[in-house]
Amino acid sequence: MTGHPTNPGDPIDTSTVAVALAALTLAVWLGIALVSVFAAIRIPQLQEVSPPHSDDPPLPHLSIIVAAKNEERSVEGALRSLLALHYHDLEVIFVNDRSDDRTGDIAERLSAEDDRLTVLHMKNLPPGWFGKCHAVQRGADAATGQVLLFTDGDVSFAPDAASHGVRHLLRERLDHLSASPRLAVTGTMLQSCLITFQLFLGAKQRLWKVRDPGSKAFFGVGSCTFMRADSYKALGGHARVALRPDEDLRLGQLVKMSGMRSAFLEGEEMIACPWYHSLGGLVRGVEKNLFAALDYSLLKMVSASAGLIWLTVVPVVLAPLLLATHEVPAGLLFAASPLVYWLVATTVTRDRSYAWWSALPLPLAGLLTAYMIWRSAILTMGRGVAWGGPAVPLAKLKSARVRVAK
């Protein structure tokens, strides 16, 4: 390393640059850690919604809309959990979106046992729609409830989950409320990827600010979204996000952009959803979403992937190299970054169903996530996005970006 420069013509002090970069990296990680701690403190839990008060209005008629395609492995358990909800006045509208397995047959059998369950079978997909968005819209069109609950055919609910969610929606005078499920994941690398997703997504979306009417922060969860039926209709329903592969997130964005009230709850104790069963399934599963989540922006794609690699890979690589070359301050600062991550991932944000060592493969999870972002962008630019129907080209996807109706 060179010494300290004495005039503008002297070489740059690389030791100082290394320390500055390491300090900046650590500062970013400390910021992410503080956001995670703040979110853990400020975001309410679905199971902690208090019991009925004497001044609470009666719970209104609830319509649960379930859209599913080829979910024969999970659909019976999911529907039985909905029919077992402790909610006095509900209907379940199951939309079988052109399944070619036994999904529709299972739903019909359960419908014959319980007249609260109605099954709709979609045969065709109109132009200008992704399959799920169209199925959800058709279910909402058939709903008769004052409150809608949107969920998927593989999601299971605890008996009190719906009453807690609707009660919170009414008490807080919300138009839109989403709750996160517990994502069932096996395998250390899948768990590490999920932890990485959740940590960076939480920092980006500022989830505790979603309930602030003065904030632009928004969120949405396809597994569990409550919405007032009149607000949903006033917003334009899923027709407003008909060609969005991240329709749940963008519905939440539309709510906030339209001046409606939204909120987010942690629902892991009351809602469960299986996630991907393999790394290959994860890579294929998010190819439609990641570039869309970055609003089809190449600049955002490059920035997100570069930042991810810098934060997750570079500290682990440079720390031992710098220490070996006696650049101790920079080496120690870089080494502190993964320590901050591992501390947060194994304490504040830890899913108790995961072993503590799930957070250890952070660099590999970062590299894999960056690869998935690039893969999503390249595939979307090359062939568009196919989601339950014909591929939609990028130009049309961009034209479907969320805008406030005039």
Side-chain angles (χ1 to χ4, degrees):
M1 297 289 180
T2 61
H4 293 284
T6 57
N7 60 67
D10 286 346
I12 297 173
D13 184 353
T14 52
S15 295
T16 302
V17 172
V19 169
L21 289 175
L24 177 61
T25 304
L26 179 58
V28 173
W29 271 116
L30 288 172
I32 293 172
L34 287 174
V35 166
S36 300
V37 172
F38 197 69
I41 295 171
R42 294 292 302 275
I43 297 175
Q45 304 281 326
L46 180 61
Q47 76 273 13
E48 293 177 357
V49 173
S50 60
H53 301 157
S54 58
D55 56 348
D56 281 337
L59 293 178
H61 182 43
L62 174 66
S63 295
I64 304 175
I65 294 101
V66 187
K69 183 175 184 178
N70 296 337
E71 292 284 1
E72 65 179 4
R73 289 196 306 175
S74 307
V75 68
E76 180 160 358
L79 287 177
R80 287 195 182 280
S81 78
L82 295 175
L83 296 171
L85 288 169
H86 296 164
Y87 200 100
H88 72 287
D89 186 13
L90 66 79
E91 65 178 356
V92 179
I93 301 173
F94 182 83
V95 187
N96 175 30
D97 183 23
R98 298 162 294 135
S99 297
D100 52 22
D101 64 1
R102 296 176 54 249
T103 296
D105 296 335
I106 294 170
E108 287 287 2
R109 172 167 54 81
L110 295 176
S111 177
E113 299 172 5
D114 193 322
D115 60 9
R116 295 175 299 166
L117 172 60
T118 299
V119 181
L120 305 179
H121 297 279
M122 298 294 102
K123 302 298 185 183
N124 300 296
L125 178 64
W129 289 87
F130 281 131
K132 181 185 175 182
C133 301
H134 175 252
V136 172
Q137 182 67 64
R138 296 288 77 79
D141 290 343
T144 60
Q146 288 80 50
V147 175
L148 310 176
L149 167 56
F150 300 106
T151 186
D152 296 324
D154 57 354
V155 181
S156 297
F157 288 75
D160 292 322
S163 57
H164 282 219
V166 175
R167 196 176 299 125
H168 190 76
L169 183 87
L170 298 180
R171 285 175 179 170
E172 300 298 318
R173 304 188 181 196
L174 302 171
D175 299 281
H176 172 272
L177 171 67
S178 58
S180 58
R182 177 183 294 277
L183 297 175
V185 181
T186 58
T188 300
M189 270 310 302
L190 275 174
Q191 292 173 355
S192 186
C193 287
L194 178 56
I195 293 168
T196 303
F197 283 173
Q198 292 176 330
L199 203 61
F200 283 97
L201 182 64
K204 179 180 182 293
Q205 297 298 133
R206 299 172 300 143
L207 298 177
W208 72 91
K209 295 286 288 181
V210 173
R211 62 181 173 178
D212 180 0
S215 170
K216 294 181 179 179
F218 64 90
F219 202 57
V221 183
S223 302
C224 180
T225 293
F226 296 91
M227 197 161 183
R228 293 178 186 266
D230 54 356
S231 301
Y232 178 78
K233 291 175 183 175
L235 194 67
H238 275 73
R240 295 284 302 280
V241 290
L243 284 177
R244 291 295 312 200
D246 53 351
E247 90 298 339
D248 49 356
L249 182 66
R250 299 306 170 180
L251 187 66
Q253 182 181 11
L254 276 171
V255 168
K256 293 298 292 284
M257 290 171 67
S258 301
M260 296 182 180
R261 291 177 58 87
S262 180
F264 171 74
L265 297 177
E266 297 281 0
E268 286 83 353
E269 298 299 320
M270 304 193 84
I271 310 167
C273 176
W275 211 42
Y276 298 100
H277 301 288
S278 66
L279 284 175
L282 169 63
V283 170
R284 292 187 296 273
V286 300
E287 67 184 35
K288 67 183 183 299
N289 306 91
L290 290 182
F291 196 35
L294 296 169
D295 219 20
Y296 306 113
S297 166
L298 288 174
L299 178 61
K300 290 181 180 179
M301 178 201 72
V302 173
S303 300
S305 55
L308 189 63
I309 291 173
W310 181 266
L311 290 171
T312 60
V313 179
V314 170
V316 178
V317 173
L318 287 187
L321 291 176
L322 288 167
L323 291 172
T325 56
H326 307 293
E327 296 292 338
V328 176
L332 291 177
L333 286 170
F334 270 124
S337 292
L339 293 178
V340 170
Y341 163 80
W342 288 324
L343 180 63
V344 172
T346 55
T347 55
V348 178
T349 63
R350 181 185 172 192
D351 185 319
R352 298 298 171 183
S353 67
Y354 297 175
W356 65 268
W357 59 79
S358 322
L360 290 179
L362 168 67
L364 292 176
L367 279 173
L368 182 59
T369 304
Y371 164 74
M372 288 187 283
I373 291 172
W374 276 79
R375 182 177 185 272
S376 173
I378 291 169
L379 290 177
T380 302
M381 289 186 289
R383 69 187 190 197
V385 171
W387 190 26
V392 179
L394 179 60
K396 195 167 184 178
L397 294 170
K398 284 186 172 182
S399 69
R401 283 179 289 193
V402 167
R403 298 177 177 87
V404 176
K406 295 181 180 180

